[in-house]
Amino acid sequence: MNASKLEVSDAPTPIAPPAVEQEARSDRTFVIKPSSRWPRLDVAELWHYRELLQTLVWRDVVVRYKQTFLGVAWAILVPAFTALIYIIVFGKFADFPDGGLHYAVLVVAGVLPMQYFVSSLMNSSMSLANNLALVTKVYFPRVLLPLAAVIVPMVDLIVGLPVLVVVMWVYESWPHGWEILLAPAFLSLALLTALGAGFFLSALNVRYRDVRYVIPVLLPVLPLVSGVIYEVQELPTKWQWVLSLNPMTTVVSGWRWCVVDAVQPDLAQSAVGVSVALAMFFVGLTVFRSTEPKFADTI
């Protein structure tokens, strides 16, 4: 190498991005301003951030069973073991009304939507606190966090459906009518209820971390007041109306009617459950929106 000779080359000329890309980047203008305190969902904005929602859901699905020996098999074992305990304890030592179904079919068909709701409620209530770095450093619609938290357990429900199919096959309890088409509607009602409660509890948990201790105390009681271990339509009428105030009673009864040909739920009592679910969603969204501007400072 000759040290006296210095070669200087011209700096590479920057490549200008294509005109089409520049035009695409300028299509959307971001204006960061305080979010509205009114209980509304900006559907257009949520659609724009749909890829982020997919990323959050996929991240939680992967993390959910990471470093577990049995992996996704827990989505089958958890409802199976829960239903087995209910069948042994309440089916053998209690004489709960079964609505003409085999007790195993009644319980398994009720456990699946209840497991979905319990998991959704726990995940959504902790969704803001568990994503502290995202909430405090990056702008995105905060409602995506509770929304992703109630979508992830739907994967567990789908994976756990073979447990119900096996029990239906063993006891020959199959749907016989058009009502099977309404099954997704009752699952949607469970999602709406969990999302409304998740909005409320996640916003409350930002300020009061007592929420994480209260929820595990209340959740074990929920299956007992939702008709998971008995047929609601065979209870005294006054108690049917009392239980109709719980939206999950409508979900469990309607889901059973659709998939295992159980007793058809009372239409008026179901309307009460749907109304309460809508009220929970409205109140939860209102609390979430009104406290959202202070999330980053309080959490």
Side-chain angles (χ1 to χ4, degrees):
M1 178 178 179
N2 187 0
S4 62
K5 183 178 182 181
L6 177 64
E7 294 181 0
V8 179
S9 59
D10 295 336
T13 304
I15 301 175
V20 176
E21 185 178 349
Q22 288 183 343
E23 183 178 354
R25 289 177 179 177
S26 62
D27 281 345
R28 189 174 184 85
T29 301
F30 291 89
V31 178
I32 299 178
K33 59 183 181 180
S35 60
S36 173
R37 293 172 181 263
W38 291 99
R40 68 180 184 87
L41 287 175
D42 190 340
V43 178
E45 186 182 42
L46 294 179
W47 175 253
H48 178 72
Y49 282 92
R50 63 189 181 281
E51 292 184 359
L52 175 60
L53 177 63
Q54 295 171 2
T55 302
L56 292 173
V57 170
W58 178 246
R59 180 202 64 178
D60 290 345
V61 169
V62 173
V63 171
R64 193 175 183 82
Y65 298 107
K66 189 177 182 181
Q67 295 182 332
T68 59
F69 180 72
L70 297 178
V72 74
W74 283 113
I76 297 176
L77 296 177
V78 170
F81 285 150
T82 304
L84 182 63
I85 293 172
Y86 285 163
I87 292 169
I88 293 175
V89 175
F90 298 107
K92 187 174 180 61
F93 301 106
D95 188 23
F96 286 153
D98 55 21
L101 296 173
H102 191 281
Y103 193 71
V105 177
L106 179 90
V107 171
V108 174
V111 163
L112 285 177
M114 181 53 62
Q115 287 283 338
Y116 163 76
F117 179 78
V118 169
S119 182
S120 297
L121 188 62
M122 292 185 65
N123 294 343
S124 59
S125 61
M126 298 294 127
S127 58
L128 292 176
N130 290 342
N131 292 277
L132 186 146
L134 287 176
V135 173
T136 56
K137 297 180 180 178
V138 182
Y139 172 76
F140 65 97
R142 303 296 189 257
V143 295
L144 289 181
L145 294 175
L147 181 58
V150 300
I151 293 176
V152 172
M154 197 62 75
V155 177
D156 292 346
L157 188 146
I158 294 173
V159 175
L161 280 179
V163 178
L164 176 60
V165 174
V166 170
V167 175
M168 292 165 64
W169 174 71
V170 171
Y171 296 103
E172 299 181 350
S173 181
W174 301 101
H176 293 94
W178 58 268
E179 60 268 17
I180 185 64
L181 301 176
L182 296 179
F186 288 101
L187 291 182
S188 299
L189 181 62
L191 186 148
L192 182 72
T193 307
L195 186 57
F199 280 148
F200 177 79
L201 293 174
S202 61
L204 197 64
N205 187 51
V206 169
R207 187 172 183 83
Y208 304 103
R209 299 304 169 89
D210 309 71
V211 173
R212 66 179 61 188
Y213 301 104
V214 173
I215 292 179
V217 175
L218 298 179
L219 288 183
V221 182
L222 194 57
L224 305 180
V225 295
S226 303
V228 173
I229 54 177
Y230 52 84
E231 175 53 59
V232 174
Q233 295 301 313
E234 294 190 5
L235 296 179
T237 304
K238 66 177 183 179
W239 290 112
Q240 293 181 26
W241 283 104
V242 171
L243 293 177
S244 68
L245 296 173
N246 174 11
M248 284 309 296
T249 303
T250 301
V251 172
V252 171
S253 300
W255 169 260
R256 278 203 196 111
W257 171 56
C258 294
V259 299
V260 296
D261 202 25
V263 179
Q264 181 177 352
D266 182 85
L267 185 59
Q269 293 170 3
S270 299
V272 173
V274 172
S275 301
V276 173
L278 291 173
M280 289 176 61
F281 180 81
F282 182 80
V283 172
L285 184 59
T286 302
V287 173
F288 191 94
R289 283 298 193 190
S290 63
T291 56
E292 186 177 5
K294 299 180 180 178
F295 283 165
D297 298 327
T298 310
I299 196 168

